[in-house]
Amino acid sequence: MPATPRAASVLDEIIAGVREDLAAREQALPLDALRDLVADTAPALDPMPVLRGPGVQVIAEVKRASPSKGHLADIPDPTVLAARYAEGGAAAISVLTEQRRFKGSLEDLRAVRAAVPTPLLRKDFLVTSYQLWEARAAGADLVLLIVAGLDPHELAELHAEAVSLGLTPLVEVHDEDEVGVALDAGARLVGVNARDLRTLEVHRDAFARVAPRIPDGVVRVAESGVRDAADVADLADQGADVVLVGEALVRTGDPAVAVRDFLAAGAGAPARPPL
């Protein structure tokens, strides 16, 4: 009897849409032309010295929508929000570029790059090297690589190519087993996402459970489900070096004040040792 096909997860559906949109962009702008754009782009910034600093650092996200919550905030000009994040002391700014579920774009990334000097993360579902070149051409300094969306060989190849382009990969995991895959690929910046992208459920114990598997010298990022300064303080106690926050910041009255509050809540965490 043939095996029953696995039901597509939310992550599978998102990646299918990403591949369709990617094919259209590749047809409009061939890789050779994209490489020419990268040649004229300023070198990427290195975010690691700040992310390794004392206290819990904040990566603040420009995020209009999400698959789990739908519409989150009207952001007519992402540069205004990014400037407030930078004023508040964000160590990096994450810009969503996935267009179907998150309503982001590479145009948002380019606009934010022109507006702030802060290191920028391209937040998307990267599955090919073309997207790394896109990220660099648009001014990104970091890229997200999701273990659950790639096989180990793909992850290792994309990680190596990202580093060769000067990009810093943030490698996202959801469980203990994925930590080993991330480390084997060379990750030195590992994010623990409390939201299971297959089901969209948030598991608030995820960071406390998974972070001990991440060795000293590798920067630990807590992703998803960070609601307020109290959560940041708890994550600091659990060993977080960085929190990546979107919804709680785009829905606040003053993003700069909120970033400062988060930084204050995590101020007691020690600096990370070097690799």
Side-chain angles (χ1 to χ4, degrees):
M1 179 180 295
T4 302
R6 180 177 66 87
S9 70
V10 176
L11 179 61
D12 293 331
E13 293 170 358
I14 292 173
I15 289 178
V18 164
R19 288 188 181 277
E20 289 181 14
D21 297 335
L22 173 61
R25 295 198 305 275
E26 286 179 304
Q27 186 171 10
L29 183 66
L31 181 57
D32 285 346
L34 195 55
R35 286 174 170 156
D36 290 340
L37 292 176
V38 171
D40 294 331
T41 301
L45 303 172
D46 181 4
M48 294 302 285
V50 175
L51 297 179
R52 290 185 182 281
V56 174
Q57 301 299 317
V58 175
I59 300 176
E61 194 155 80
V62 176
K63 186 176 186 179
R64 292 187 171 90
S66 75
S68 61
K69 298 289 184 67
H71 176 79
L72 295 176
D74 292 318
I75 306 175
D77 185 351
T79 67
V80 174
L81 179 59
R84 293 298 289 158
Y85 286 159
E87 183 181 337
I93 297 171
S94 170
V95 181
L96 264 301
T97 60
E98 195 280 331
Q99 63 192 61
R100 298 191 182 202
R101 301 293 189 99
F102 293 88
K103 309 305 179 186
S105 68
L106 283 163
E107 287 71 27
D108 284 349
L109 181 58
R110 295 186 191 100
V112 172
R113 174 73 295 156
V116 299
T118 310
L120 300 184
L121 165 67
R122 181 188 182 182
K123 185 84 173 292
D124 209 320
F125 298 80
L126 273 64
V127 292
T128 73
S129 63
Y130 183 92
Q131 293 164 290
L132 299 176
W133 288 88
E134 279 185 321
R136 192 74 280 282
D141 308 291
L142 305 95
V143 288
L144 181 70
L145 299 177
I146 302 173
V147 172
L150 301 162
D151 69 39
H153 178 71
E154 290 171 331
L155 175 66
E157 286 200 336
L158 288 175
H159 191 283
E161 186 165 5
V163 172
S164 74
L165 287 171
L167 292 160
T168 299
L170 168 58
V171 182
E172 180 176 293
V173 303
H174 298 84
D175 59 37
E176 296 90 331
D177 291 340
E178 289 184 354
V179 172
V181 178
L183 297 176
D184 287 346
R188 59 196 182 107
L189 181 65
V190 174
V192 179
N193 194 344
R195 187 179 301 282
D196 185 337
L197 293 179
R198 300 174 183 90
T199 64
L200 299 183
E201 292 180 73
V202 172
H203 302 283
R204 296 205 171 274
D205 65 338
F207 188 85
R209 185 181 71 250
V210 176
R213 298 292 187 94
I214 303 171
D216 287 343
V218 176
V219 175
R220 301 167 181 151
V221 183
E223 304 177 34
S224 294
V226 181
R227 300 162 296 188
D228 51 33
D231 283 345
V232 176
D234 288 342
L235 289 164
D237 290 341
Q238 295 165 15
D241 307 301
V242 183
V243 292
L244 193 160
V245 189
E247 179 182 345
L249 293 178
V250 299
R251 287 182 161 177
T252 188
D254 191 328
V257 171
V259 170
R260 291 190 195 106
D261 287 346
F262 285 6
L263 289 170
R272 300 294 294 160
L275 275 174

